[in-house]
Amino acid sequence: MEKDMELKPGSRWKSAVCTSEVVVVRPPKTPVSLECGGQPMVALAATAPEGLELSPDFSGGTAVGKRYFDEAAGLEVLGSKAGKGSLAIDGKPLNLKEAKALPASD
């Protein structure tokens, strides 16, 4: 697992096994490996490695406009392009951040 990823706010990453892309909203507190579809993600401008396959364990999909987070690591990313792979860090699935309910206006 690559832990030398520079997950800075605003940095963009793409999956090596599907069409998913994300933007880092909040960086992790410690170095982690950001993964999609069971494989490490690569910088948007980089060439994805060949021969990698989508893991059935991480095929739940990534949605556009949804935020994904890991409380322990402090990482939060925003889906910028949908894909078949699901997001994880160090093999642990990221949680989908639910939208906050707006207060009722009576």
Side-chain angles (χ1 to χ4, degrees):
M1 286 188 223
E2 286 185 47
K3 295 216 180 192
D4 58 351
M5 301 175 125
E6 286 213 42
L7 299 172
K8 296 188 259 184
S11 62
R12 298 178 56 139
W13 300 84
K14 65 182 177 183
S15 172
V17 294
C18 71
T19 57
S20 297
E21 292 180 11
V22 299
V23 176
V24 176
V25 175
R26 196 173 61 201
K29 299 169 194 161
T30 58
V32 296
S33 175
L34 179 60
E35 302 158 358
C36 182
Q39 300 293 339
M41 295 187 86
V42 295
L44 190 61
T47 303
E50 292 185 29
L52 300 177
E53 292 186 15
L54 181 70
S55 166
D57 295 337
F58 294 97
S59 61
T62 300
V64 172
K66 298 291 183 183
R67 290 177 184 245
Y68 298 87
F69 73 100
D70 182 273
E71 199 66 47
L75 176 72
E76 184 175 326
V77 297
L78 173 68
S80 58
K81 189 172 181 184
K84 293 181 179 179
S86 52
L87 302 171
I89 57 168
D90 300 331
K92 181 180 158 203
L94 290 181
N95 300 303
L96 179 62
K97 191 168 192 176
E98 297 297 325
K100 292 180 183 167
L102 296 173
S105 58
D106 293 334

